[in-house]
Amino acid sequence: MRTVYLDHNATTPVDPAVREAMLPYLGDRFGNPSSIHAVGRTARVALDEARDEVAAFIGADPLSVIFLSGGSEANNMAIRGIATAKRDHGRHFVVSAVEHSSVLETCHDLEADGFRTTVVPVDETGMVEPKDVAAAITDETLLVAVLHANNEVGTIQPIEEVAALARERGVPLLVDAVQAAGKMPVDVGALGCDMASFSCHKLYGPKGVGVLHIRQGLELKSLITGGSHEMRRRAGTENVAGIVGFGVACRLAAERREEYEKRMQQLRDRLWKGIAERISGVVLNGNPVSRLPNTLNVSFEAVEGESVVIGLDLEGVAVSTGSACASGKVKPSHVLVAMGLDEARVRGSVRFSLGRGITESDIDHVLEVLPPVIKRLRGRG
Ligand SMILES: Cc1ncc(COP(=O)(O)O)c(C=O)c1O
């Protein structure tokens, strides 16, 4: 059966060039970068080169780039690190309602320790209003977190404006750029943020490796203590092969980004136009203009998104919903709920996230198999 993978916001396949570059570090270049002998120095050189490549890709100083296990750890380190370092200055966070769970849950978890979080609402397209973020800041606020682009609907936030307002108030800004990186330009200097999170497996690299950019001079406690790795900010022998892969993934993403953006947008718009022409009772979720080029989130009237995912899976097409299954019950997507969509629209939502290998013929195949799936599901009701 033909398979079409349209779930690139969940994870991406590892690019063959990334895999090739990693292999020696899973073979005879196995050294520990902290060892002073030649075997260790080989790993250290590779680590430093990768740091330079990642830093160049995100417009940062290499000394501000901390390697860790992924986007979730990066968000945890930013929030918990500042909470621990600055708890005597205040115990308040300001976050957007459409943050990733690794931000929302971490803030929530810290409530037990006396921290409070103001969750700033978004409009019906998933966009935060910078003035609302500024209005939520108090003298107690330790950190503002607004993600660059949302994973479920792809809405891109006005980060520069948020950053300017946070800076005026002297409060650091964390930008979760996990979904934006590689899909649009991300330059932490131009954005004006203090911290930014990245994850390699969304960028055609391996899982289990990420980056937290920390502006020089920002005080932050380490989450993992022990050795003096990563400029004493994150203890633990580095995932050298993964980090080497991250460097190459960033180089490739930079080389291919413009072409990627154009192609993804064309294919995504072909998919949306085709769906709207062939299927009645379907609406677009997310911002129609300020949106990731690869992301299409739609709601089908009178069907459950989960059933569409299963129906398409049986046809070899991989897509997803934003809802999470917890203890046998489907929990609605907090992003779509925050956008104020009604329950039926939330339940009927499906995310198609395109990626590098997708062709026009793949899109046309999806447009062939999707209408009968929807028809069958509606017929059941
Ligand atoms: C916006 C966003 N932030 C953070 C993460 C977490 O990244 P990781 O899977 O590397 O922990 C994800 C993953 O889905 C994400 O989409």
Side-chain angles (χ1 to χ4, degrees):
M1 187 170 42
R2 178 174 183 171
T3 60
V4 181
Y5 181 79
L6 294 185
D7 201 12
H8 291 81
N9 286 8
T11 198
T12 55
V14 177
D15 189 286
V18 170
R19 190 165 54 230
E20 276 305 303
M22 290 172 66
L23 284 176
Y25 298 90
L26 297 168
D28 56 6
R29 296 190 203 163
F30 58 84
N32 183 332
S34 300
S35 305
I36 56 172
H37 46 61
V39 181
R41 288 199 310 273
T42 301
R44 167 62 55 193
V45 168
L47 194 62
D48 290 344
E49 282 177 4
R51 196 184 311 279
D52 289 346
E53 275 177 330
V54 175
F57 179 62
I58 63 170
D61 181 335
L63 293 176
S64 77
V65 168
I66 305 300
F67 287 113
L68 30 67
S69 71
S72 299
E73 187 187 330
N75 287 334
N76 266 268
M77 178 170 175
I79 297 165
R80 294 183 192 276
I82 224 150
T84 316
K86 295 280 178 76
R87 56 189 310 134
D88 294 335
H89 299 258
R91 296 197 181 184
H92 180 234
F93 303 119
V94 174
V95 305
S96 90
V98 292
E99 294 304 295
H100 187 257
S101 53
S102 54
V103 168
L104 292 172
E105 288 300 315
T106 303
C107 291
H108 179 60
D109 191 52
L110 285 164
E111 282 171 15
D113 229 1
F115 287 84
R116 268 187 327 111
T117 300
T118 301
V119 178
V120 180
V122 292
D123 68 13
E124 68 286 356
T125 74
M127 189 85 85
V128 80
E129 172 57 60
K131 281 200 262 15
D132 293 345
V133 176
I137 296 175
T138 72
D139 293 343
E140 292 266 297
T141 309
L142 291 185
L143 181 71
V144 171
V146 177
L147 89 176
H148 204 334
N150 181 263
N151 42 309
E152 289 184 38
V153 292
T155 298
I156 299 166
Q157 305 294 345
I159 297 296
E160 283 100 332
E161 289 171 60
V162 172
L165 293 169
R167 200 163 43 244
E168 258 175 38
R169 298 293 303 269
V171 179
L173 171 68
L174 164 67
V175 172
D176 175 341
V178 165
Q179 291 292 343
K183 297 176 186 147
M184 56 182 286
V186 177
D187 182 306
V188 296
L191 286 174
C193 61
D194 300 274
M195 291 188 279
S197 338
F198 300 88
S199 178
C200 190
H201 75 99
K202 312 283 186 183
L203 258 183
Y204 303 87
K207 293 164 186 61
V209 56
V211 153
L212 180 64
H213 151 74
I214 310 170
R215 177 178 57 74
Q216 295 283 305
L218 187 72
E219 203 190 326
L220 208 68
K221 269 284 220 188
S222 299
L223 208 61
I224 300 179
T225 49
S228 57
H229 313 85
E230 295 300 296
M231 296 158 265
R232 304 199 71 86
R233 288 195 179 261
R234 201 271 189 182
T237 303
E238 298 86 348
N239 171 2
V240 179
I243 290 170
V244 166
F246 207 165
V248 177
C250 286
R251 194 170 68 228
L252 295 178
E255 285 166 12
R256 298 174 184 177
R257 209 208 67 245
E258 272 182 42
E259 192 246 320
Y260 166 95
E261 267 189 86
K262 225 181 287 160
R263 226 169 59 76
M264 287 305 109
Q265 210 163 327
Q266 273 168 6
L267 292 172
R268 183 197 66 188
D269 293 347
R270 183 185 184 92
L271 179 60
W272 170 229
K273 195 163 164 275
I275 291 175
E277 278 169 4
R278 288 168 179 77
I279 301 171
S280 62
V282 57
V283 281
L284 178 78
N285 298 320
N287 195 286
V289 183
S290 182
R291 186 157 51 107
L292 289 175
N294 77 319
T295 306
L296 176 68
N297 189 309
V298 298
S299 288
F300 297 98
E301 220 171 70
V303 294
E304 298 284 327
E306 299 290 304
S307 309
V308 180
V309 171
I310 295 165
L312 282 178
D313 188 39
L314 293 171
E315 301 289 341
V317 178
V319 299
S320 70
T321 65
S323 46
C325 199
S327 15
K329 278 201 188 140
V330 177
K331 193 168 164 263
S333 145
H334 73 277
V335 173
L336 300 181
V337 170
M339 286 161 57
L341 308 190
D342 63 48
E343 200 189 325
R345 191 161 156 191
V346 172
R347 289 161 68 112
S349 105
V350 176
R351 179 186 71 186
F352 301 84
S353 51
L354 283 54
R356 275 184 202 161
I358 299 302
T359 61
E360 279 190 4
S361 149
D362 290 328
I363 297 297
D364 294 345
H365 176 68
V366 174
L367 290 173
E368 239 173 70
V369 301
L370 178 64
V373 167
I374 301 292
K375 192 164 173 221
R376 201 166 53 241
L377 293 170
R378 284 182 176 161
R380 259 195 218 155

